[in-house]
Amino acid sequence: MASYWLSLWDGDIPPSRKAIAPVDIKPLLPGIIFFQFNADRSVSVRMAGTDFCTLLNRELTGTDWLSVTPHGDRDMRLDVFSRIAHGAIGFNRWRFPRRLFGTVACEKLLLPLCADDRGPAILGFVDWSELRMSMAAPPSLSTIPPPAVAGSIIE
């Protein structure tokens, strides 16, 4: 996902939401999620791939992302999204228990997109492949920690 995102840059300008062509990233589509950041107030899900609905047992498209975040994590999650909307990159890895033996890992990448008429947008990708293969019980959104954020890449 990161390589594809980098290939769409126009000089120092990150890609727009419209620049992302689903046909170019077909195998990744189930793990894609687009967020809309609203001026340090809210984060909404513009579109979530099929893995989100299938593995979390809920449709996220149109959801206020902060409303499904535990109260104690909302300010931190809003800060993370604010930093990404302003040019940082977010990444995290977390583990869920398997139904049988051990845990399964998932990874999330959050990348800034060029603002559109709705404001700053963020491209997310979650690699759920290990969870899909393990047949683990559906995870709860409250168990997914906010990502770590790298410094700004957009000046």
Side-chain angles (χ1 to χ4, degrees), residues 71-112:
H71 283 285
D73 293 339
R74 289 180 183 179
D75 288 342
M76 179 175 41
R77 195 169 302 257
L78 185 61
D79 178 62
V80 165
F81 275 92
S82 177
R83 292 169 60 194
I84 294 166
H86 291 96
I89 292 175
F91 175 80
N92 70 330
R93 181 177 293 136
W94 63 96
R95 297 193 168 279
F96 297 109
R98 291 182 195 252
R99 283 194 179 154
L100 299 172
F101 309 114
T103 60
V104 74
C106 293
E107 295 180 337
K108 176 172 47 181
L109 181 62
L110 295 172
L111 304 164

Side-chain angles (χ1 to χ4, degrees):
M1 176 52 46
S3 295
Y4 176 71
W5 173 76
L6 286 168
S7 76
L8 298 175
W9 277 63
D10 182 12
D12 292 337
I13 301 171
S16 67
R17 163 62 187 92
K18 291 178 183 176
I20 297 169
V23 70
D24 293 340
I25 53 173
K26 205 170 191 178
L28 304 177
L29 291 179
I32 298 287
I33 188 166
F34 289 99
F35 295 98
Q36 189 67 50
F37 179 74
N38 300 308
D40 298 322
R41 292 186 317 246
S42 68
V43 178
S44 57
V45 179
R46 285 176 69 174
M47 192 278 306
T50 56
D51 274 356
F52 290 90
C53 186
T54 302
L55 296 170
L56 298 175
N57 286 333
R58 69 183 303 166
E59 176 59 55
L60 293 175
T61 300
T63 301
D64 174 351
W65 194 241
L66 297 179
S67 72
V68 296
T69 298
H71 283 285
D73 293 339
R74 289 180 183 179
D75 288 342
M76 179 175 41
R77 195 169 302 257
L78 185 61
D79 178 62
V80 165
F81 275 92
S82 177
R83 292 169 60 194
I84 294 166
H86 291 96
I89 292 175
F91 175 80
N92 70 330
R93 181 177 293 136
W94 63 96
R95 297 193 168 279
F96 297 109
R98 291 182 195 252
R99 283 194 179 154
L100 299 172
F101 309 114
T103 60
V104 74
C106 293
E107 295 180 337
K108 176 172 47 181
L109 181 62
L110 295 172
L111 304 164
L113 296 173
C114 188
D116 59 19
D117 58 337
R118 295 184 187 182
I122 295 167
L123 168 62
F125 175 70
V126 177
D127 180 358
W128 302 97
S129 56
E130 224 183 289
L131 184 62
R132 256 190 270 114
M133 291 186 306
S134 76
M135 302 300 286
S140 165
L141 284 173
S142 65
T143 63
I144 301 173
V149 178
S152 180
I153 56 166
I154 302 171
E155 296 183 12

